[in-house]
Amino acid sequence: MTERERVEALLKRQKPDRVPILPFASAIGFSGLYNKLSIAEAYNSPEKTLAAQRKTARDFGWAIIPFFSYASFGGWEFGGDIKWPSSEFSQAPMITRRPLETADDVWKLKKPDLTTAGIIPLQIKFYQLSFKDDLDNEPFNIIAFVGGPVTLAANLCGIDNLGKWSIKNKEVVHHLLRITTEHSIELASYLKSLFGTDRVLPFCGEATTDNRIISPKFFEQFALPYNKELQEAMLSMGFRHLFCHICGEQNANLPYWAKIPMGDPGIISIGHEIPLSKAAQYFPSDIIMGNLEPAIIQAKTAEEVYKATRTVVEEGMKITGGYIFSPGCDVPPLSPVDNMKAMTKAVNDYGWYK
Amino acid sequence: MPSEERKKEILQKLYDAVVNMDEDAAKEWSQTALNEDVNSYEAVTKGLAAGMGKVGELYTNLEYFVPELLLCADALYAGLEILRPHIKVDKVEVKKQIILGTVEGDIHDIGKNLVKVMFEAAGWIVHDLGADVQLHRFVEEQKRINADLIGLSALMTTSMLAIPKAIEMLRADDPATAVIVGGAPLTLEIARSYGADGYAKSAGEAVKEAIRIVNLKK
């Protein structure tokens, strides 16, 4: 089977011959540096980063769903400023000025024009380029970034403000989440109008709801209703599968995440902080994707990466609902190439189903 | 001077104000402490700071999370603003000092800010360099301050790579420089491999680890 056929088999609830390898977010930063781009070009040059992602996936033998976005999405799009990564230690674009500073700012906030806001026009260009080809390692033409309402809100006002308001000024948080949820739904609808639903995998999920930051009670109160509304809306638009990244330490949130529809099936990407077997218990009907610790790929030797990958793959293969191998979050851009080869080799050596 | 019973009540109210995230109560009871001649140093250490110590425990035990911690810190600072100018220094007290910052390439500062609160509550002098700090600035600040400890934070796997470089630069200047590190991608093992003297998994554990490091360096 090709890598594309492996992922497609899982989407049809069939068993592939081997665990597919689909690095999270197309290893956007790593692919850029591997192809001699600057780290900024990986995030702001649609033509260059698409070519880099595709060449990297081909060289290593991975599946790929072209990806063009960044974790701080929203800061620029709603009127703030970002800084493209430039230092040798920068991983991704960073927000330098948030659009919201006070609760009063929230009440005055307007949704941005999707045709001009921040990176969205560049994303549309990237998606148009990707749709020109139909490759044997791409199960979808694009993974379309839609974003999670809470993380988007935190990118607008800062997690410090969002967190404080969640205790002392709940109305303002609900108002902000109403706007970010509607923005995400409108963005998904806009993307559907341009690219349809069949070859588009919407990307949602949350990073800010990490339980090292917020409580499961916060999740239940603020993240659950708005994420549920967003994902139900996208499914009703005709998107059959959703990609949901549950970033970081969210073990205590899993009972709530499990109440949110993910598609038929959805793809649930989890960090190394959540055991694969636990994710499978909460999402028995979905495909679980993960969860090699990114820091291992960057900091350990090739032998250690190979060993750690083997452990992850062998755990993942026990999941009956379907499993895709990936790092648990973005591949660190400076990961050694030999480590990425070792990771890939381990899946190729141990990922075959009987 | 208030009676022992009244003093105890005021200290308890200050403690409760911080633990209960009640900025207004922290202001009110700090002013009461002043009005009723409670020793300001005691009001801070046995009231406000003791409350923040409890908050650190609640955070470590997953009863409080970052939003609660931030609101407790607001209450702490509201009280400190009233009481600090009235603290009488009877003898020359040498406070421990830490230089803190999120390393170059990383603007995430919430973890670093929480660590700052915990150190301030514990009576340390904190020199906060902010976020996305060029590595040479840690060296320059240490030359100027000669702090007991340098605290380096990183939230990204890539920016984490700035930490060993910063430690190398600091030790090139003074091999005895003590460094504590923290941030989501770090582990004790990685911290050790980078040459750090210590690692704190969360803000609630940072001061305890810092004291351990500083005592070892004596």
Side-chain angles (χ1 to χ4, degrees):
Chain A
M1 295 173 99
T2 64
E3 285 296 302
R4 173 172 169 170
E5 287 168 344
R6 291 183 178 114
V7 176
E8 287 175 343
L10 290 171
L11 293 169
K12 291 177 201 153
R13 301 188 186 279
Q14 296 164 359
K15 203 167 198 172
D17 58 350
R18 171 174 61 68
V19 170
I21 309 171
L22 181 65
F24 178 83
S26 295
I28 180 170
F30 172 80
S31 294
L33 297 191
Y34 174 74
N35 286 281
K36 313 294 180 206
L37 305 186
S38 68
I39 188 69
E41 286 173 320
Y43 286 95
N44 65 18
S45 173
E47 300 89 345
K48 288 180 182 176
T49 195
L50 177 62
Q53 289 175 33
R54 282 181 163 162
K55 181 174 184 306
T56 307
R58 194 62 79 190
D59 285 0
F60 284 85
W62 305 330
I64 169 183
I65 310 174
F67 174 87
F68 189 77
S69 195
Y70 59 109
S72 303
F73 181 89
W76 181 26
E77 288 66 30
F78 277 77
D81 297 321
I82 60 160
K83 175 182 168 186
W84 296 109
S86 54
S87 137
E88 67 177 297
F89 303 116
S90 299
Q91 183 161 334
M94 302 185 282
I95 298 171
T96 53
R97 184 181 60 81
R98 296 190 189 281
L100 304 174
E101 289 179 5
T102 67
D104 282 347
D105 293 341
V106 176
W107 295 110
K108 294 175 199 156
L109 182 68
K110 300 269 182 262
K111 283 175 281 180
D113 178 349
L114 297 177
T115 62
T116 57
I119 202 169
I120 295 174
L122 287 176
Q123 288 176 320
I124 300 301
K125 189 173 177 190
F126 177 90
Y127 299 157
Q128 286 166 338
L129 288 168
S130 186
F131 261 87
K132 287 183 179 171
D133 300 294
D134 187 21
L135 304 179
D136 67 0
N137 61 348
E138 293 186 6
F140 294 89
N141 277 99
I142 56 170
I143 186 157
F145 192 85
V146 173
V150 175
T151 303
L152 186 51
N155 286 341
L156 299 187
C157 67
I159 182 60
D160 46 353
N161 278 327
L162 190 73
K164 288 183 189 180
W165 295 337
S166 73
I167 294 171
K168 300 277 185 181
N169 195 350
K170 291 185 196 319
E171 295 79 13
V172 85
V173 176
H174 283 297
H175 183 71
L176 181 52
L177 290 171
R178 168 64 30 226
I179 292 174
T180 56
T181 304
E182 285 178 7
H183 165 77
S184 294
I185 291 171
E186 286 168 17
L187 181 55
S189 178
Y190 178 50
L191 295 171
K192 178 192 170 185
S193 73
L194 294 174
F195 304 106
T197 56
D198 289 352
R199 299 280 299 150
V200 175
L201 182 64
F203 180 118
C204 37
E206 298 280 13
T208 301
T209 53
D210 188 309
N211 293 132
R212 287 167 294 195
I213 303 174
I214 61 97
S215 64
K217 188 179 156 196
F218 174 109
F219 191 95
E220 182 184 21
Q221 199 173 356
F222 296 105
L224 172 59
Y226 295 98
N227 274 279
K228 193 163 182 280
E229 179 182 335
L230 168 62
Q231 304 210 181
E232 283 172 350
M234 289 194 290
L235 292 171
S236 71
M237 285 176 208
F239 293 105
R240 187 168 173 193
H241 313 285
L242 304 178
F243 179 93
C244 184
H245 182 51
I246 301 175
C247 190
E249 211 302 55
Q250 299 208 40
N251 281 286
N253 297 335
L254 289 179
Y256 305 114
W257 275 115
K259 294 180 179 178
I260 298 172
M262 299 290 179
D264 181 26
I267 301 176
I268 315 295
S269 155
I270 55 164
H272 69 275
E273 297 89 345
I274 297 175
L276 288 169
S277 55
K278 189 170 179 180
Q281 280 170 18
Y282 281 99
F283 303 101
S285 304
D286 297 303
I287 299 163
I288 306 298
M289 174 168 155
N291 65 347
L292 181 64
E293 183 176 353
I296 289 177
I297 312 172
Q298 177 180 273
K300 299 289 179 98
T301 64
E303 290 74 24
E304 288 167 322
V305 171
Y306 182 84
K307 212 170 152 184
T309 305
R310 178 183 177 179
T311 303
V312 169
V313 169
E314 288 179 344
E315 186 67 21
M317 290 174 77
K318 294 175 191 163
I319 297 172
T320 51
Y323 170 66
I324 295 172
F325 172 79
S326 169
C329 199
D330 199 10
V331 174
L334 294 168
S335 297
V337 171
D338 284 347
N339 287 7
M340 295 298 277
K341 285 181 182 168
M343 178 188 86
T344 309
K345 186 172 186 318
V347 186
N348 274 302
D349 287 350
Y350 297 104
W352 295 89
Y353 291 102
K354 284 177 188 168
Chain B
M1 287 289 286
S3 65
E4 269 308 304
E5 197 180 334
R6 175 66 174 159
K7 187 173 103 178
K8 205 174 159 190
E9 184 194 357
I10 293 170
L11 295 178
Q12 185 65 44
K13 293 288 186 187
L14 289 167
Y15 176 99
D16 290 343
V18 172
V19 174
N20 296 331
M21 304 170 260
D22 192 338
E23 198 175 327
D24 290 340
K27 284 180 189 167
E28 183 192 332
W29 286 98
S30 294
Q31 193 57 53
T32 304
L34 280 186
N35 295 346
E36 299 190 22
D37 280 337
V38 175
N39 179 289
S40 296
Y41 180 75
E42 242 183 296
V44 168
T45 55
K46 294 183 180 171
L48 298 172
M52 205 62 208
K54 177 65 182 175
V55 170
E57 271 178 52
L58 292 168
Y59 179 64
T60 302
N61 296 335
L62 304 179
E63 291 174 61
Y64 273 10
F65 293 81
V66 169
E68 288 85 356
L69 212 56
L70 290 168
L71 288 168
C72 293
D74 284 350
L76 169 80
Y77 286 125
L80 284 178
E81 199 172 315
I82 293 167
L83 291 167
R84 252 185 194 155
H86 300 276
I87 293 176
K88 291 177 187 135
V89 182
D90 296 329
K91 55 182 178 180
V92 181
E93 187 193 0
V94 182
K95 287 190 168 183
K96 292 190 177 63
Q97 300 193 61
I98 182 168
I99 296 169
L100 271 184
T102 305
V103 295
E104 182 182 336
D106 199 333
I107 55 150
H108 297 92
D109 62 0
I110 197 155
K112 183 266 300 169
N113 290 343
L114 294 175
V115 167
K116 178 183 175 180
V117 171
M118 303 314 283
F119 275 97
E120 288 193 330
W124 287 54
I125 296 172
V126 179
H127 304 273
D128 182 5
L129 301 185
D132 194 14
V133 179
Q134 302 285 305
L135 303 186
H136 64 85
R137 287 196 53 222
F138 288 103
V139 180
E140 288 162 8
E141 193 71 356
Q142 176 60 351
K143 272 185 183 165
R144 195 174 72 80
I145 304 287
N146 192 26
D148 301 274
L149 193 59
I150 314 289
L152 305 172
S153 169
L155 192 85
M156 314 287 285
T157 38
T158 305
S159 60
M160 178 172 87
L161 292 173
I163 288 179
K165 193 168 176 186
I167 293 174
E168 188 187 328
M169 288 165 70
L170 285 160
R171 299 263 168 79
D173 203 61
D174 176 3
T177 308
V179 180
I180 184 171
V181 300
L186 286 144
T187 61
L188 178 60
E189 191 188 352
I190 291 174
R192 281 185 181 147
S193 75
Y194 286 174
D197 298 281
Y199 158 77
K201 195 177 174 187
S202 76
E205 298 169 10
V207 175
K208 196 174 161 191
E209 177 68 354
I211 291 168
R212 186 191 68 80
I213 296 167
V214 170
N215 286 340
L216 276 177
K217 289 273 177 180
K218 274 181 184 170

